[in-house]
Amino acid sequence: MRVTRRKLITSASAGFAAAALSPRLAWATSEVSLGAMRITTLRDGSITQPADFMYDPMDQDALAQWLAVRGMARDAALNPDCNVTLLRHEGRTILFDAGSGSGFTATAGDLPDALAAAGVDPGEITHVVFTHGHADHLWGVLDDFEEPFFPNAEHLMGRTEFDFWYDPTTVDTISADRQGMAVGAKRRLDVMADRFTLFEDGEEILPGIAARATHGHTPGHMSFEVRDGGESVMVVGDAILNHHLSFDHPDWPLGADADRTMAAATRAALMDQLASDQMLMIGFHLPDGGLGRVERAGGAFRFVPA
């Protein structure tokens, strides 16, 4: 296994007209060779998470102590990166998640530029595999003209997750601050439904890629174990949401999770597995391209970039 880091600056010379349009940089932040597999993380930009969106359900006294140790302010918003994973293997060009597209937030939606910088045209993508249906993972499936952005790709999502967002009653059963997510997901799935293949936990959805249920952040959130021989990487999506609080206190409830109790149990179990196996992981919102390892740190964990 070989890990490299590089920055590919977007410019007109990248070969696609869209590459010259974004005022932000798009780059491939990390790359790992896994047997015959080539895995690259691509930055889709970043999102802003208001402090209460993450911290509100926690014990506020314990939170204040943790923030003081970390030198973080209680009311400071979090601004995590968004890392889309690109896998090239045996003639397949696979994306894990589709990014935000242009309809979610002005600070994200850079995946088209990042793909251009990596020399990949959207028409070359053969499969798009989704961890879950939140806007920063799903909304990039359509372009600005409501056409499929990856026109030749098969799209794959866990059945439970797809059914949740495709259900027209979901918008009436979730909290008000997430209803926009439900409306946006339903609209995109209505357009794309016939392009989706659904799967269950434990299935090998493509050669060398196995689905692992990591429910809680959303009802059907999935991670994916990517393996070639004795080497493997786990693409964890939002099952591990950030590089500090999630590792220091995986058992604390996070406001961003739909089922906070389940998500905390999932997070702790996943970190325990990753630390025990010393398996590389890619987190959608983790720094340094999201690629790293989980190490034990006393009774908790820490993220170590690869």
Side-chain angles (χ1 to χ4, degrees):
M1 185 183 298
R2 184 178 74 255
V3 177
T4 60
R5 293 193 180 276
R6 59 184 177 146
K7 287 188 178 180
L8 301 176
I9 305 303
T10 294
S11 68
S13 64
F16 305 108
L21 299 180
S22 173
R24 301 186 297 278
L25 300 180
W27 58 84
T29 48
S30 57
E31 189 168 283
V32 58
S33 296
L34 193 72
M37 296 177 169
R38 181 182 173 195
I39 301 171
T40 309
T41 62
L42 301 171
R43 189 174 186 271
D44 188 46
S46 63
I47 59 172
T48 299
Q49 297 171 332
D52 280 346
F53 182 69
M54 192 68 63
Y55 299 147
D56 189 58
M58 299 174 189
D59 180 298
Q60 295 300 299
D61 291 337
L63 174 63
Q65 295 178 27
W66 177 82
L67 290 168
V69 170
R70 281 278 182 170
M72 298 168 63
R74 170 63 177 82
D75 58 352
L78 303 176
N79 300 103
D81 287 345
C82 300
N83 306 301
V84 175
T85 299
L86 173 71
L87 169 63
R88 285 168 275 200
H89 181 229
E90 295 182 347
R92 288 175 289 272
T93 304
I94 302 162
L95 281 179
F96 292 88
D97 293 322
S100 296
S102 60
F104 181 48
T105 178
T107 57
D110 288 344
L111 180 60
D113 293 354
L115 285 168
V120 178
D121 184 274
E124 298 172 9
I125 302 298
T126 59
H127 302 82
V128 185
V129 179
F130 294 91
T131 59
H132 64 296
H134 279 167
D136 48 334
H137 299 255
L138 173 65
W139 286 19
V141 296
L142 297 182
D143 64 18
D144 291 342
F145 301 96
E146 300 289 294
E147 296 292 335
F149 187 68
F150 307 103
N152 301 315
E154 178 184 1
H155 295 62
L156 300 95
M157 184 181 282
R159 184 177 301 277
T160 298
E161 187 72 4
F162 183 92
D163 288 348
F164 176 76
W165 296 109
Y166 196 59
D167 184 345
T169 69
T170 291
V171 68
D172 300 317
T173 61
I174 61 175
S175 60
D177 62 331
R178 301 179 194 220
Q179 288 177 342
M181 290 266 197
V183 171
K186 172 64 173 166
R187 181 165 63 82
R188 287 161 177 84
L189 293 180
D190 280 342
V191 174
M192 297 291 294
D194 63 348
R195 294 173 179 259
F196 269 79
T197 298
L198 307 184
F199 58 84
E200 307 289 349
D201 176 35
E203 287 189 31
E204 184 178 41
I205 60 170
L206 291 166
I209 303 174
R212 306 294 186 216
T214 46
H215 301 171
H217 180 65
T218 58
H221 186 287
M222 287 284 184
S223 297
F224 301 94
E225 183 175 348
V226 180
R227 178 174 293 276
D228 191 308
E231 297 181 322
S232 60
V233 173
M234 187 77 78
V235 180
V236 304
D238 285 4
I240 300 174
L241 263 175
N242 54 56
H243 67 289
H244 38 68
L245 185 57
S246 292
F247 286 80
D248 288 350
H249 297 286
D251 57 324
W252 284 10
L254 301 182
D257 292 328
D259 185 326
R260 295 162 187 169
T261 300
M262 179 184 292
T266 293
R267 188 163 48 244
L270 181 59
M271 287 197 195
D272 182 70
Q273 177 193 349
L274 293 169
S276 296
D277 296 346
Q278 275 301 284
M279 185 188 302
L280 272 176
M281 60 164 285
I282 301 172
F284 192 86
H285 291 304
L286 301 187
D288 297 294
L291 182 66
R293 297 186 188 275
V294 179
E295 290 187 353
R296 299 188 192 281
F301 302 93
R302 62 170 167 258
F303 176 66
V304 181

